[in-house]
Amino acid sequence: MHTVHAYAATAATAPFGPTTIQRRDLGPLDVLIEIKFCGICHSDIHYSRGEWGPAKYPVVPGHEIAGIVAKVGSQVTRHAVGDRVGVGCMVDSCGDCANCRKGEEQHCLKGMTQTYGSIGKDGQPTLGGYSTHIVVTEDFVLKIPKGIELDAAAPLLCAGITTYAPLRQWGAGPGKKVAVVGLGGLGHMAVKLAHAMGAEVTVLSQSLSKKEDGLRLGADHYYATKDPETFKKLASSFDLIVNTVSAKIDLDAYLSLLALDGALVNVGAPPEPLSVNVFSLIMTRRSFAGSLIGGIRQTQEMLNFCARHHLGADIEVIPASKINEAYERVLASDVRYRFVIDAATLK
């Protein structure tokens, strides 16, 4: 076992602080990664504070990991020491079920092994990227192409693939009108990606305070949802709406913005249930769907796409000592648009 530096929370109401954790010895198919940067995702906050159910403490979150390969197992063929690599929301799956065989490991029928909050192959709880090193089986290690800086690449491993997956699944591209609800960590990546795919992009945000940013990121239009005229003006407009917010919204109001056969896809994960009137769906054959992340193959596709289009997250790099402050700022929407921890400060 390897002892490495990390930041952990010991209870739902406890602040994060420095600690050390154990990483398993390298197996023949394992990769040891020296973490350089780790993004802070809203999921980290939900999980560490027990908002999605009981968490197993101490919690070391972090599933937006970018770093350098430090060592490889004897049978590793996909990665070499010195490679720029990333790890996202999962670190293993069964590999045998129908979904895994399709390259949809995130929907493993036996349950994917999450980067934190699961039980790993060593029988121990998985601990995430708020740490200096991590050991991951080679099949779940992504290559970060040249053209994306490691710090800006880290959030792509969750925020990037979480928004790329539904845009691809529901056919965002030339001739399609796509709306993005919320311009935060997920939303700003959805705008960048949809724009790069050739779609006409609209941001739907509570106010116009981030309009200049939205247009800079690639949006063609920007509307305030606090203005009731917005829903009248944009009725039956969009082919696809990607809802990125982790808060309760009026689904029926947003469904009214879809054109015939349009889809509203939820990628934000609020802790409370959402409700919908079925007539919002059946009258114009609209769909309400959810999307998680993508499989390993699609995640690599996303990284390659971002490299070709020179896309990375808009970030604010922070030392580990500011994790607690960053959590409060995320909840106050006071970040443009993703906090990234400099792993060198974890020591």
Side-chain angles (χ1 to χ4, degrees), residues 230-274:
T230 291
F231 289 90
K232 296 177 183 178
K233 183 174 183 178
L234 300 179
S236 303
S237 293
F238 301 109
D239 301 295
L240 172 64
I241 300 173
V242 179
N243 176 28
T244 72
V245 301
S246 292
K248 195 169 185 178
I249 65 168
D250 183 349
L251 287 180
D252 297 306
Y254 285 90
L255 286 166
S256 74
L257 304 181
L258 291 171
L260 179 67
D261 290 325
L264 169 59
V265 182
N266 230 73
V267 295
E272 66 273 7
L274 301 176

Side-chain angles (χ1 to χ4, degrees), residues 20-272:
T20 57
I21 60 173
Q22 300 296 310
R23 295 299 191 189
R24 69 174 185 263
D25 287 333
L26 234 60
L29 295 174
D30 284 339
V31 177
L32 173 65
I33 300 168
E34 181 184 356
I35 298 172
K36 296 296 186 181
F37 299 97
C38 183
I40 292 178
C41 176
H42 206 135
S43 300
D44 301 347
I45 301 175
H46 285 310
Y47 182 78
S48 64
R49 295 185 174 182
E51 294 172 353
W52 286 345
K56 185 172 179 61
Y57 298 96
V59 166
V60 178
H63 55 206
E64 295 182 340
I65 299 167
I68 304 293
V69 174
K71 190 176 181 180
V72 298
S74 60
Q75 297 178 25
V76 170
T77 60
R78 297 186 181 186
H79 309 285
V81 173
D83 284 357
R84 292 156 35 97
V85 294
V87 177
C89 300
M90 54 184 172
V91 291
D92 212 346
S93 71
C94 81
D96 294 323
C97 71
N99 291 347
C100 284
R101 291 197 300 271
K102 291 177 184 176
E104 301 280 7
E105 301 92 347
Q106 76 277 25
H107 299 302
C108 176
L109 295 174
K110 297 179 182 179
M112 66 170 171
T113 303
Q114 297 180 80
T115 307
Y116 62 86
S118 289
I119 300 298
K121 62 172 60 177
D122 57 0
Q124 298 300 312
T126 54
L127 302 171
Y130 294 12
S131 57
T132 56
H133 296 78
I134 192 169
V135 176
V136 182
T137 185
E138 70 166 336
D139 289 347
F140 285 79
V141 177
L142 288 305
K143 295 185 181 297
I144 297 179
K146 294 179 180 178
I148 315 174
E149 296 298 326
L150 283 180
D151 53 0
L156 300 181
L157 277 304
C158 176
I161 187 57
T162 296
T163 50
Y164 183 90
L167 291 170
R168 281 294 188 222
Q169 179 67 31
W170 278 272
K176 293 295 182 73
K177 293 184 177 182
V178 174
V180 176
V181 182
L183 193 67
L186 291 175
H188 93 287
M189 283 308 310
V191 170
K192 288 187 177 190
L193 290 164
H195 173 75
M197 291 174 185
E200 182 180 333
V201 184
T202 298
V203 174
L204 301 174
S205 186
Q206 285 188 308
S207 72
L208 299 179
S209 64
K210 298 179 182 178
K211 181 176 181 179
E212 185 177 337
D213 275 3
L215 299 179
R216 173 182 60 81
L217 294 167
D220 300 284
H221 315 285
Y222 200 108
Y223 290 91
T225 55
K226 283 185 176 179
D227 183 353
E229 291 301 312
T230 291
F231 289 90
K232 296 177 183 178
K233 183 174 183 178
L234 300 179
S236 303
S237 293
F238 301 109
D239 301 295
L240 172 64
I241 300 173
V242 179
N243 176 28
T244 72
V245 301
S246 292
K248 195 169 185 178
I249 65 168
D250 183 349
L251 287 180
D252 297 306
Y254 285 90
L255 286 166
S256 74
L257 304 181
L258 291 171
L260 179 67
D261 290 325
L264 169 59
V265 182
N266 230 73
V267 295
E272 66 273 7

